[in-house]
Amino acid sequence: KIMSSLSLQASEGVTFIGPDMHAIQAMGDKIESKLLAKNAKVNTIPGFDGVVKDADEAVRIAREIGYPVMIKASAGGGGKGMRIAWDDEETREGFRFSSQEAASSFGDDRLLIEKFIDNPRHIEIQVSCYFFQVLADKHGNALWLNERECSIQRRNQKVVEEAPSTFLDPETRRAMGEQAVALAKAVKYSSAGTVEFLVDSKKNFYFLEMNTRLQVEHPVTECITGLDLVQEMIRVAKGYPLRHKQADIPINGWAVECRVYAEDPYKSFGLPSVGRLSQYQEPLHLPSVRVDSGIQQGSDISIYYDPMISKLITYGSNRAEALKRMEEALDNYVIRGVAHNISLLREVIIHPRFVQGDISTKFLPEVYPDGFKGHRLTDLERRELLATAASLYVAEQLRSQRFLGTPRIPIAKSKRSSWELSVHLEDGIYPVAVSKDGSSFSV
């Protein structure tokens, strides 16, 4: 359908803002794109580059590659049609389920099998010729616009992205960027696109796929480079050459993006939630905060579309500042009417492992092996919360005794100055004593 639409647009003299049909077709097929990447001398994951015919052949190939293996839909995306297999039985089962899911999701049941890279980091290079972001024009010029780290995932779908990565050194960054550009040039790519890599603990990197479009997480690349990728795509489509050289592409500061979903994070790290947004307020009053959304208060979150509510982006002069601003932005985000994943996002960005940059695509199941249970209060946080709740309760009781600033029954003016309360918090009941001295409370 996309190819037919592009052909029709071309015949009507309409310019498509994006790459041409050849690049979309070549990079949209995982089998073909991997062969092209090999020919362009791009590092690829070891595996079988043809179409796997049946479960028996899948087992034979998996044995030759060596377990564990990743079974993938050739036309797949968004984590669909992917299974990890650790033995023959899981390979047969994975082949059956992946081919069924690929056929129903993409109308194409072709599968390939690759070596599973255990405990990897997910890095993208943005190329214009922009994960690595690339940007390319129609005159043979191409740039790599640095990387995005997208390792925090659930069900092979990204949750938190940042740019740059805490893991890459300048040499690895340059090598990945140059390979991303080489691949873009090999398919005569023009426009913005993204080349995705998996990187192991020794900084060996392997081509994963190329996305021939602008991606959800492109704002973090814009923040650290100062480029407007949409504007650059329009200029390239018009036929203008790129305005920048590779030496002009900086890394200024740090940017973090959280995907805010209408999901219940307590169920498999996020199962969709539907309903109406009865209250919705974005934290745009905070500095260095960007929110990309397509909804407003009163909007319905339905089962028919992706449950993403918005992309929340914060920028800082360094990673610590960007993360602190993200923490504040999440605390100031108001969403009522549907379940959402704000609590999970906030826990991730303040977790010691994440703050230290010790992350991989296994981060969520490793940190929360029994599933996400919400924030666990420290003793100090528990005491502060109990004290705050008790003080607010007493203040409200005193306020209810007054009418327009005057006691409702002056002759029955209360002189009470202490209270014995029981506060329910999580699964516990805590005795709290409150005393009032002037306008202050002691708890």
Side-chain angles (χ1 to χ4, degrees), residues 120-195:
R121 298 176 79 113
H122 194 146
I123 307 290
E124 302 178 328
I125 299 286
Q126 184 78 45
V127 297
S128 184
C129 262
Y130 299 90
F131 303 155
F132 253 75
Q133 186 79 43
V134 294
L135 182 63
D137 61 22
K138 299 178 181 180
H139 305 278
N141 304 307
L143 303 170
W144 49 273
L145 306 181
N146 304 310
E147 79 280 1
R148 296 189 292 261
E149 170 90 49
C150 307
S151 296
I152 306 300
Q153 303 182 4
R154 50 98 177 94
R155 298 190 299 280
N156 297 307
Q157 293 179 315
K158 303 155 198 165
V159 178
V160 179
E161 297 102 354
E162 62 181 309
S165 168
T166 60
F167 188 61
L168 295 191
D169 53 61
E171 292 74 23
T172 307
R173 176 178 294 115
R174 184 182 306 107
M176 293 174 72
E178 289 173 352
Q179 289 199 14
V181 164
L183 180 60
K185 288 184 174 181
V187 292
K188 297 180 173 58
Y189 195 88
S190 62
S191 191
T194 301
V195 180

Side-chain angles (χ1 to χ4, degrees), residues 100-118:
Q100 290 173 354
E101 188 174 26
S104 62
S105 299
F106 313 112
D108 185 341
D109 64 357
R110 292 177 302 139
L111 301 178
L112 69 154
I113 299 179
E114 296 175 335
K115 180 68 177 176
F116 174 62
I117 307 300
D118 198 17

Side-chain angles (χ1 to χ4, degrees), residues 58-278:
V59 169
R60 179 182 62 78
I61 293 169
R63 289 175 177 175
E64 290 176 358
I65 296 171
Y67 287 109
V69 297
M70 174 70 84
I71 302 169
K72 286 183 182 178
S74 181
K80 291 185 173 63
M82 296 176 64
R83 296 289 189 284
I84 300 169
W86 295 83
D87 54 37
D88 291 355
E89 183 179 351
E90 289 186 0
T91 299
R92 293 182 185 279
E93 186 178 84
F95 178 88
R96 179 165 62 90
F97 284 119
S98 289
S99 58
Q100 290 173 354
E101 188 174 26
S104 62
S105 299
F106 313 112
D108 185 341
D109 64 357
R110 292 177 302 139
L111 301 178
L112 69 154
I113 299 179
E114 296 175 335
K115 180 68 177 176
F116 174 62
I117 307 300
D118 198 17
N119 211 38
R121 298 176 79 113
H122 194 146
I123 307 290
E124 302 178 328
I125 299 286
Q126 184 78 45
V127 297
S128 184
C129 262
Y130 299 90
F131 303 155
F132 253 75
Q133 186 79 43
V134 294
L135 182 63
D137 61 22
K138 299 178 181 180
H139 305 278
N141 304 307
L143 303 170
W144 49 273
L145 306 181
N146 304 310
E147 79 280 1
R148 296 189 292 261
E149 170 90 49
C150 307
S151 296
I152 306 300
Q153 303 182 4
R154 50 98 177 94
R155 298 190 299 280
N156 297 307
Q157 293 179 315
K158 303 155 198 165
V159 178
V160 179
E161 297 102 354
E162 62 181 309
S165 168
T166 60
F167 188 61
L168 295 191
D169 53 61
E171 292 74 23
T172 307
R173 176 178 294 115
R174 184 182 306 107
M176 293 174 72
E178 289 173 352
Q179 289 199 14
V181 164
L183 180 60
K185 288 184 174 181
V187 292
K188 297 180 173 58
Y189 195 88
S190 62
S191 191
T194 301
V195 180
E196 302 191 15
F197 292 94
L198 289 182
V199 185
D200 67 18
S201 59
K202 297 180 181 178
K203 296 184 180 176
N204 299 308
F205 59 90
Y206 306 94
F207 168 72
L208 189 61
E209 64 179 345
M210 183 176 188
N211 289 288
T212 57
R213 54 182 169 80
L214 197 65
Q215 283 195 282
V216 167
E217 57 274 22
H218 76 273
V220 294
T221 296
E222 293 184 329
C223 286
I224 67 165
T225 61
L227 296 181
D228 184 329
L229 298 189
V230 175
Q231 183 185 42
E232 296 299 326
M233 290 177 69
I234 295 172
R235 292 187 80 260
V236 168
K238 186 66 176 175
Y240 293 116
L242 296 179
R243 296 178 288 181
H244 306 281
K245 303 296 183 183
Q246 191 62 59
D248 301 329
I249 306 304
I251 297 181
N252 287 331
W254 213 283
V256 181
E257 177 179 299
C258 286
R259 300 191 183 195
V260 180
Y261 282 103
E263 291 181 338
D264 184 349
Y266 304 101
K267 297 178 180 178
S268 300
F269 299 113
L271 293 182
S273 171
V274 298
R276 177 164 296 177
L277 288 167
S278 58

Side-chain angles (χ1 to χ4, degrees), residues 40 90 93 96 137 140 152 157 163 175 220 246 255 302 310 324 334 346 351 377 385 429 432:
E90 289 186 0
E93 186 178 84
R96 179 165 62 90
D137 61 22
I152 306 300
Q157 293 179 315
V220 294
Q246 191 62 59
S302 76
S310 73
K324 187 63 181 175
V334 180
R346 194 185 187 286
H351 193 279
L377 294 172
L385 188 55
I429 300 176
V432 180

